[in-house]
Amino acid sequence: MGEGAKYNGKITKFVVLSCIIAALGGQIFGYGSSVTVTRALGRKASIFIGGVAFLVGSVLGGAAKNVYMLIFSRLLLGIGFGFTNQSVPLYLSEMAPPQFRGAFNFGFQLCVANGGLLSSLVNYGTQKIRGGWGWRISLAFTAISASIMTISAPFLPETPNSLVQRGNQERSKKMLQKIRGTDDVQAEFNDLIAASNASASVRYPFKKIIQRKYRPQLVMSIAIPFFQQVTGINLVAFYAPMLFLTIGSGVSASLMASVFIGISGNLSTFCSLFIVDKLGRKALFHIGGIMMFVPLMTIGGIMAAKLGDQGGLNQAYGIAILIFVCIYTAGFALSWGPLAWLVTSEIYPLEIRSAAQSINVAVSFLCTFIIAQLFLAMLCHLKAALFFFFATWLVVMTGFVHIFLPETKDVPIEKMDQIWKEHWFWKRFVCDGEEYEGNNKPEGP
């Protein structure tokens, strides 16, 4: 495993991680988007801004003449991540009927997985181009999807929630009737009005979300993105080719392994589209946790027993590790990959939705940055124990979901507060918070 240390070049890590740093900065700036732009112009305005950032960043990346242009292009890509990862899941959750909300959001994750698979195929093809300029095609290729997003965003219908929030009640009701396919939407529309009135009275959502009655949502907006990142997915997402190089594969074999990993994730996400609204969120969290835990423990055992410090595995063990990584990826694509975005986009009331989603994405990118920054050093020092480290976290997070996360399947997004009032643990915060607020008493700790 000692060979992995040679990838510790500071410039390489900075270029790779600059996108994540910018995504965190873009998310902080994106809070202004979620509150200012979204409230003034709607969700699709944030999607459009993200698309423009993606488009310009991809063009600059493909045309980069020095490392500074390359880093700046990745900064723009990071800003695009900050805007779109906040606005798109919310847009889908607000537009989708409750009984199909999971499938809609999993469609978002399927597109993300398709993008990852396509990028692996492009990287595999461009690395074979003679002259060493294939990386330009790889970076500029993003402009195709960015163009589609940028051109399409202005033509998207605005969500009824956003229209109500901006005072367009008549348009909101017509839009709700259109997307639900019926004129009988008065009950849901009344819920939107009530949520909008509560939201309009909130001037400082970040101050509001720390109140006792919103303690469940605040905890979930921090815990879920944190747990998503300590599943160990960065073993695959950032450094899969590097990992297979470390255990003795060639460059082409390593990139092809990434393709197989991407295919397994895509197939799993596609299958989950049809079961997320039937089995429920918690069941998929449990299934995915097992599907990730077993492969990580197995891979760690193989590498501890057979790899040693010198590096290199025979072909049979290399194939076995690839198979278990594919099973692990399928488990992530079934559970923590899409569910972390789905659950956090549907549990927040409108008055704190922008602030909570900002915290959610900011924590996600911050944890991504920290883990990616430390990963190579951990790989060099912990070696196979790194897989056991992430497997331990999987036990913790699966237990957390089982105990503290209520089921949200089939619950209308504007009635989500009821699940917290009925939960054995969270009801003490939510109900007490309502009593404090009703009696004008200060919030408890």
Side-chain angles (χ1 to χ4, degrees):
M1 185 79 73
E3 185 179 352
K6 75 179 183 180
Y7 295 106
N8 261 316
K10 293 182 179 180
I11 295 296
T12 301
K13 286 203 299 183
F14 182 66
V15 172
V16 172
L17 297 175
S18 61
C19 184
I20 305 169
I21 299 171
L24 179 59
Q27 176 55 28
I28 295 172
F29 179 70
Y31 171 68
S33 166
S34 65
V35 175
T36 305
V37 176
T38 301
R39 286 194 175 189
L41 301 176
R43 301 271 185 245
K44 66 180 186 179
S46 292
I47 298 175
F48 177 77
I49 293 172
V52 171
F54 272 127
L55 181 59
V56 177
S58 60
V59 172
L60 281 179
K65 295 184 180 297
N66 52 56
V67 69
Y68 302 106
M69 286 185 65
L70 186 62
I71 291 174
F72 183 66
S73 75
R74 296 186 70 82
L75 292 175
L76 289 174
L77 293 176
I79 292 174
F81 276 119
F83 275 91
T84 56
N85 275 336
Q86 180 174 349
S87 55
V88 172
L90 288 181
Y91 181 90
L92 294 173
S93 289
E94 291 179 349
M95 293 292 279
Q99 65 271 28
F100 301 121
R101 190 170 57 241
F104 271 65
N105 273 271
F106 271 39
F108 167 71
Q109 183 63 27
L110 180 61
C111 291
V112 173
N114 282 331
L117 174 59
L118 185 58
S119 67
S120 295
L121 290 170
V122 171
N123 290 338
Y124 179 74
T126 56
Q127 64 92 21
K128 295 179 177 295
I129 296 177
R130 295 181 179 180
W133 54 271
W135 61 271
R136 293 187 181 276
I137 297 178
S138 181
L139 294 180
F141 198 79
T142 314
I144 298 176
S145 56
S147 298
I148 295 173
M149 179 186 295
T150 305
I151 295 171
S152 302
F155 298 99
L156 291 173
E158 191 55 85
T159 70
N161 309 64
S162 180
L163 290 171
V164 166
Q165 196 173 30
R166 290 182 286 141
N168 298 319
Q169 293 189 10
E170 184 176 349
R171 285 181 58 198
S172 174
K173 187 173 183 178
K174 290 181 179 179
M175 179 58 65
L176 191 60
Q177 291 171 336
K178 182 178 181 180
I179 63 177
R180 296 295 183 258
T182 178
D183 292 335
D184 186 18
V185 296
Q186 191 60 47
E188 184 176 358
F189 184 69
N190 290 340
D191 291 336
L192 290 180
I193 296 295
S196 178
N197 291 337
S199 175
S201 65
V202 178
R203 295 184 59 189
Y204 306 105
F206 274 120
K207 185 177 180 180
K208 187 76 172 178
I209 198 175
I210 64 175
Q211 292 180 358
R212 182 183 176 91
K213 64 180 292 186
Y214 299 114
R215 193 64 47 82
Q217 292 91 340
L218 178 61
V219 170
M220 294 302 166
S221 68
I222 296 173
I224 290 179
F226 169 76
F227 285 143
Q228 185 190 44
Q229 296 309 314
V230 293
T231 57
I233 190 59
N234 290 300
L235 286 165
V236 176
F238 292 147
Y239 298 111
M242 190 177 299
L243 179 64
F244 283 99
L245 277 173
T246 301
I247 63 175
S249 301
V251 174
S252 295
S254 299
L255 292 174
M256 181 52 68
S258 297
V259 173
F260 283 111
I261 292 168
I263 291 174
S264 67
N266 271 29
L267 291 176
S268 180
T269 304
F270 180 76
C271 293
S272 66
L273 285 171
F274 303 98
I275 60 176
V276 61
D277 291 311
K278 295 180 180 180
L279 294 182
R281 284 51 162 159
K282 295 184 71 170
L284 289 188
F285 271 127
H286 296 154
I287 295 171
I290 295 172
M291 287 180 65
M292 289 186 286
F293 174 80
V294 173
L296 285 181
M297 293 295 291
T298 305
I299 294 170
I302 292 175
M303 296 183 71
K306 301 296 181 180
L307 186 60
D309 292 330
Q310 302 304 315
L313 288 174
N314 63 38
Q315 186 178 22
Y317 284 114
I319 293 174
I321 287 180
L322 175 60
I323 292 173
F324 282 112
V325 170
C326 287
I327 295 173
Y328 161 85
T329 305
F332 180 82
L334 182 73
S335 57
W336 280 95
L339 284 175
W341 297 107
L342 167 60
V343 172
T344 54
S345 70
E346 64 184 5
I347 62 174
Y348 306 132
L350 187 59
E351 63 266 25
I352 62 166
R353 193 169 295 162
S354 294
Q357 191 69 356
S358 291
I359 294 172
N360 171 49
V361 182
V363 171
S364 177
F365 283 126
L366 179 61
C367 292
T368 302
F369 167 70
I370 293 173
I371 292 174
Q373 183 70 31
L374 297 177
F375 172 77
L376 290 177
M378 294 172 69
L379 182 62
C380 292
H381 291 92
L382 295 179
K383 302 179 177 64
L386 181 62
F387 294 87
F388 303 140
F389 171 80
F390 287 119
T392 301
W393 274 112
L394 279 168
V395 175
V396 173
M397 66 183 70
T398 303
F400 175 87
V401 166
H402 179 73
I403 296 172
F404 295 109
L405 182 67
E407 181 57 65
T408 57
K409 178 174 73 75
D410 293 336
V411 181
I413 194 170
E414 303 305 339
K415 290 185 176 293
M416 202 64 70
D417 61 325
Q418 192 62 33
I419 65 172
W420 307 109
K421 294 177 182 178
E422 297 173 355
H423 191 271
W424 70 273
F425 180 79
W426 296 118
K427 65 182 180 182
R428 72 187 69 180
F429 295 94
V430 177
C431 295
D432 287 353
E434 289 180 346
E435 291 174 8
Y436 287 138
E437 193 169 89
N439 296 315
N440 295 318
K441 293 180 181 181
E443 299 289 347

